[in-house]
């Protein structure tokens, strides 16, 4: 079974530029998550989708971050404009359709973003 | 305001010995706990979990213990192997939090040959 795919793996941009990350979840997984992991910290949930609807985006900085999951499969996360403090690893995860808080989340390899 | 704490940033253990990783939480609503392992340049991978109705769960060399009254859990790895060297994250979730996992900052385990 193929895992969660993410691209690009690394991205370096200057502040105030925009950037987009792509995620393809495990086939059949209805729930998709985007996390931000700052160096030395644990992953922090940014947004959760169930199919193509948003379940939780309470920690997404909506003035600069946006995410979409058209057709309920792939997802993109965008930052515009980027700030220095956005330097982090952006992790995508997916889980099955059970919708339970005990569902195992399967993570992709992440995109390491460096903002200069 | 860290709801899940891992107070040891790093831990070194000799191969063959026991590794004990600790995690404390503050939110009494948490009722499900997980451990994830992360290698460099890879995403976290699920290791083991425990529900609050249990105080111990075992899977091969890995055992998680939960002390609800102390709001503390620990991961025991016996025997430790060099391939266990990774960052270990403790995570917690609650029924009324949906599927929102709250992660601790991680503990880097080094198993020395």
């Amino acid at each position: 079974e193929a895992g969660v795919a993410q691209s690009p793996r690394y991205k370096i941009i200057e502040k105030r530029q925009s950037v987009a990350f792509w995620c393809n979840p495990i086939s059949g997984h209805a729930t998709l998550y985007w996390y931000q992991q700052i160096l030395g910290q644990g992953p922090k949930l940014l947004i959760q989708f169930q199919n193509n609807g948003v379940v939780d985006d309470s920690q997404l900085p909506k003035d600069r971050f946006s995410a979409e999951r058209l057709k309920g499969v792939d997802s993109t996360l965008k930052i515009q404009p980027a700030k220095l403090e956005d330097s982090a690893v952006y992790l995508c995860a997916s889980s099955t359709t059970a919708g339970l808080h005990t569902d195992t989340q399967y993570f992709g390899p992440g995109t390491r973003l460096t903002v200069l | 305001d860290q709801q899940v704490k891992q107070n040891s940033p790093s831990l070194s253990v000799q191969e063959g010995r026991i590794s004990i990783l600790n995690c404390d939480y503050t939110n009494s609503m948490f009722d499900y706990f997980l451990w994830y392992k992360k290698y460099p340049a890879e995403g976290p991978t699920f290791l083991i979990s425990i529900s609050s109705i249990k105080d111990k769960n075992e899977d091969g060399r890995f055992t998680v213990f939960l002390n609800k009254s102390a709001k503390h859990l620990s991961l025991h790895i016996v025997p430790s192997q060099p391939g266990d060297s990774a960052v270990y994250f403790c995570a917690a979730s609650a029924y009324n939090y949906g599927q929102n996992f709250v992660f601790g900052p991680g503990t880097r385990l080094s198993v020395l040959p």
Side-chain angles (χ1 to χ4, degrees), chain A residues 75-90:
Chain A
S75 177
T76 56
L77 176 69
K78 296 178 182 176
I79 308 175
Q80 181 179 16
K83 292 185 175 181
L84 296 176
E85 58 262 35
D86 299 331
S87 294
V89 175
Y90 290 85

PDB file of all heavy atoms in Angstrom, chain A residues 75-90:
ATOM      1  N   SER A  75      -4.628  17.429  -1.803  1.00  0.00           N
ATOM      2  CA  SER A  75      -4.801  18.700  -1.118  1.00  0.00           C
ATOM      3  C   SER A  75      -3.592  19.589  -1.355  1.00  0.00           C
ATOM      4  O   SER A  75      -2.478  19.093  -1.580  1.00  0.00           O
ATOM      5  CB  SER A  75      -4.972  18.465   0.388  1.00  0.00           C
ATOM      6  OG  SER A  75      -5.081  19.691   1.089  1.00  0.00           O
ATOM      7  N   THR A  76      -3.822  20.898  -1.333  1.00  0.00           N
ATOM      8  CA  THR A  76      -2.728  21.855  -1.393  1.00  0.00           C
ATOM      9  C   THR A  76      -2.840  22.807  -0.216  1.00  0.00           C
ATOM     10  O   THR A  76      -3.940  23.181   0.208  1.00  0.00           O
ATOM     11  CB  THR A  76      -2.731  22.667  -2.703  1.00  0.00           C
ATOM     12  OG1 THR A  76      -4.000  23.315  -2.838  1.00  0.00           O
ATOM     13  CG2 THR A  76      -2.470  21.785  -3.898  1.00  0.00           C
ATOM     14  N   LEU A  77      -1.699  23.185   0.322  1.00  0.00           N
ATOM     15  CA  LEU A  77      -1.590  24.168   1.390  1.00  0.00           C
ATOM     16  C   LEU A  77      -0.759  25.321   0.840  1.00  0.00           C
ATOM     17  O   LEU A  77       0.314  25.093   0.285  1.00  0.00           O
ATOM     18  CB  LEU A  77      -0.903  23.567   2.615  1.00  0.00           C
ATOM     19  CG  LEU A  77      -0.627  24.511   3.793  1.00  0.00           C
ATOM     20  CD1 LEU A  77      -1.937  24.926   4.468  1.00  0.00           C
ATOM     21  CD2 LEU A  77       0.295  23.848   4.809  1.00  0.00           C
ATOM     22  N   LYS A  78      -1.261  26.550   0.976  1.00  0.00           N
ATOM     23  CA  LYS A  78      -0.569  27.701   0.433  1.00  0.00           C
ATOM     24  C   LYS A  78      -0.278  28.708   1.541  1.00  0.00           C
ATOM     25  O   LYS A  78      -1.092  28.885   2.460  1.00  0.00           O
ATOM     26  CB  LYS A  78      -1.416  28.375  -0.656  1.00  0.00           C
ATOM     27  CG  LYS A  78      -1.659  27.505  -1.874  1.00  0.00           C
ATOM     28  CD  LYS A  78      -2.542  28.219  -2.897  1.00  0.00           C
ATOM     29  CE  LYS A  78      -2.815  27.310  -4.097  1.00  0.00           C
ATOM     30  NZ  LYS A  78      -3.734  27.926  -5.071  1.00  0.00           N
ATOM     31  N   ILE A  79       0.859  29.359   1.405  1.00  0.00           N
ATOM     32  CA  ILE A  79       1.229  30.451   2.295  1.00  0.00           C
ATOM     33  C   ILE A  79       1.509  31.671   1.429  1.00  0.00           C
ATOM     34  O   ILE A  79       2.313  31.616   0.502  1.00  0.00           O
ATOM     35  CB  ILE A  79       2.488  30.126   3.129  1.00  0.00           C
ATOM     36  CG1 ILE A  79       2.342  28.781   3.848  1.00  0.00           C
ATOM     37  CG2 ILE A  79       2.722  31.232   4.152  1.00  0.00           C
ATOM     38  CD1 ILE A  79       3.603  28.348   4.584  1.00  0.00           C
ATOM     39  N   GLN A  80       0.813  32.771   1.738  1.00  0.00           N
ATOM     40  CA  GLN A  80       0.997  33.988   0.954  1.00  0.00           C
ATOM     41  C   GLN A  80       0.569  35.202   1.759  1.00  0.00           C
ATOM     42  O   GLN A  80      -0.622  35.326   2.092  1.00  0.00           O
ATOM     43  CB  GLN A  80       0.176  33.905  -0.343  1.00  0.00           C
ATOM     44  CG  GLN A  80       0.308  35.113  -1.237  1.00  0.00           C
ATOM     45  CD  GLN A  80      -0.509  34.971  -2.523  1.00  0.00           C
ATOM     46  OE1 GLN A  80      -1.393  34.120  -2.632  1.00  0.00           O
ATOM     47  NE2 GLN A  80      -0.210  35.805  -3.492  1.00  0.00           N
ATOM     48  N   PRO A  81       1.494  36.104   2.121  1.00  0.00           N
ATOM     49  CA  PRO A  81       2.930  36.043   1.937  1.00  0.00           C
ATOM     50  C   PRO A  81       3.606  35.319   3.101  1.00  0.00           C
ATOM     51  O   PRO A  81       3.093  35.307   4.225  1.00  0.00           O
ATOM     52  CB  PRO A  81       3.324  37.518   1.945  1.00  0.00           C
ATOM     53  CG  PRO A  81       2.349  38.133   2.910  1.00  0.00           C
ATOM     54  CD  PRO A  81       1.059  37.358   2.756  1.00  0.00           C
ATOM     55  N   ALA A  82       4.759  34.723   2.833  1.00  0.00           N
ATOM     56  CA  ALA A  82       5.457  33.979   3.883  1.00  0.00           C
ATOM     57  C   ALA A  82       6.207  34.928   4.817  1.00  0.00           C
ATOM     58  O   ALA A  82       6.677  36.004   4.415  1.00  0.00           O
ATOM     59  CB  ALA A  82       6.438  32.988   3.252  1.00  0.00           C
ATOM     60  N   LYS A  83       6.305  34.501   6.081  1.00  0.00           N
ATOM     61  CA  LYS A  83       7.077  35.218   7.080  1.00  0.00           C
ATOM     62  C   LYS A  83       8.201  34.320   7.570  1.00  0.00           C
ATOM     63  O   LYS A  83       8.146  33.101   7.398  1.00  0.00           O
ATOM     64  CB  LYS A  83       6.187  35.611   8.266  1.00  0.00           C
ATOM     65  CG  LYS A  83       5.131  36.653   7.963  1.00  0.00           C
ATOM     66  CD  LYS A  83       4.405  37.046   9.244  1.00  0.00           C
ATOM     67  CE  LYS A  83       3.432  38.179   8.983  1.00  0.00           C
ATOM     68  NZ  LYS A  83       2.741  38.598  10.236  1.00  0.00           N
ATOM     69  N   LEU A  84       9.188  34.931   8.208  1.00  0.00           N
ATOM     70  CA  LEU A  84      10.323  34.168   8.699  1.00  0.00           C
ATOM     71  C   LEU A  84       9.874  33.042   9.634  1.00  0.00           C
ATOM     72  O   LEU A  84      10.419  31.927   9.593  1.00  0.00           O
ATOM     73  CB  LEU A  84      11.312  35.074   9.440  1.00  0.00           C
ATOM     74  CG  LEU A  84      12.003  36.155   8.609  1.00  0.00           C
ATOM     75  CD1 LEU A  84      12.878  37.035   9.503  1.00  0.00           C
ATOM     76  CD2 LEU A  84      12.840  35.550   7.490  1.00  0.00           C
ATOM     77  N   GLU A  85       8.851  33.332  10.469  1.00  0.00           N
ATOM     78  CA  GLU A  85       8.413  32.344  11.458  1.00  0.00           C
ATOM     79  C   GLU A  85       7.646  31.177  10.843  1.00  0.00           C
ATOM     80  O   GLU A  85       7.265  30.235  11.554  1.00  0.00           O
ATOM     81  CB  GLU A  85       7.546  32.998  12.546  1.00  0.00           C
ATOM     82  CG  GLU A  85       6.309  33.705  12.029  1.00  0.00           C
ATOM     83  CD  GLU A  85       6.508  35.204  11.896  1.00  0.00           C
ATOM     84  OE1 GLU A  85       7.643  35.640  11.538  1.00  0.00           O
ATOM     85  OE2 GLU A  85       5.535  35.943  12.134  1.00  0.00           O
ATOM     86  N   ASP A  86       7.419  31.208   9.532  1.00  0.00           N
ATOM     87  CA  ASP A  86       6.773  30.077   8.857  1.00  0.00           C
ATOM     88  C   ASP A  86       7.774  28.970   8.529  1.00  0.00           C
ATOM     89  O   ASP A  86       7.375  27.898   8.054  1.00  0.00           O
ATOM     90  CB  ASP A  86       6.089  30.532   7.563  1.00  0.00           C
ATOM     91  CG  ASP A  86       4.993  31.553   7.813  1.00  0.00           C
ATOM     92  OD1 ASP A  86       4.384  31.525   8.902  1.00  0.00           O
ATOM     93  OD2 ASP A  86       4.756  32.387   6.916  1.00  0.00           O
ATOM     94  N   SER A  87       9.051  29.213   8.763  1.00  0.00           N
ATOM     95  CA  SER A  87      10.059  28.167   8.541  1.00  0.00           C
ATOM     96  C   SER A  87       9.737  26.979   9.439  1.00  0.00           C
ATOM     97  O   SER A  87       9.683  27.103  10.670  1.00  0.00           O
ATOM     98  CB  SER A  87      11.459  28.690   8.861  1.00  0.00           C
ATOM     99  OG  SER A  87      11.832  29.693   7.945  1.00  0.00           O
ATOM    100  N   ALA A  88       9.516  25.838   8.826  1.00  0.00           N
ATOM    101  CA  ALA A  88       9.055  24.654   9.552  1.00  0.00           C
ATOM    102  C   ALA A  88       8.982  23.489   8.580  1.00  0.00           C
ATOM    103  O   ALA A  88       9.185  23.655   7.375  1.00  0.00           O
ATOM    104  CB  ALA A  88       7.671  24.900  10.167  1.00  0.00           C
ATOM    105  N   VAL A  89       8.656  22.325   9.126  1.00  0.00           N
ATOM    106  CA  VAL A  89       8.305  21.180   8.284  1.00  0.00           C
ATOM    107  C   VAL A  89       6.787  21.092   8.252  1.00  0.00           C
ATOM    108  O   VAL A  89       6.134  21.146   9.299  1.00  0.00           O
ATOM    109  CB  VAL A  89       8.896  19.865   8.823  1.00  0.00           C
ATOM    110  CG1 VAL A  89       8.410  18.679   7.993  1.00  0.00           C
ATOM    111  CG2 VAL A  89      10.427  19.921   8.809  1.00  0.00           C
ATOM    112  N   TYR A  90       6.242  20.987   7.060  1.00  0.00           N
ATOM    113  CA  TYR A  90       4.791  20.886   6.893  1.00  0.00           C
ATOM    114  C   TYR A  90       4.468  19.434   6.571  1.00  0.00           C
ATOM    115  O   TYR A  90       4.892  18.889   5.552  1.00  0.00           O
ATOM    116  CB  TYR A  90       4.295  21.856   5.824  1.00  0.00           C
ATOM    117  CG  TYR A  90       4.413  23.273   6.328  1.00  0.00           C
ATOM    118  CD1 TYR A  90       5.622  23.970   6.205  1.00  0.00           C
ATOM    119  CD2 TYR A  90       3.364  23.889   6.995  1.00  0.00           C
ATOM    120  CE1 TYR A  90       5.760  25.240   6.729  1.00  0.00           C
ATOM    121  CE2 TYR A  90       3.498  25.159   7.520  1.00  0.00           C
ATOM    122  CZ  TYR A  90       4.698  25.829   7.391  1.00  0.00           C
ATOM    123  OH  TYR A  90       4.840  27.090   7.925  1.00  0.00           O
TER     124      TYR A  90
END
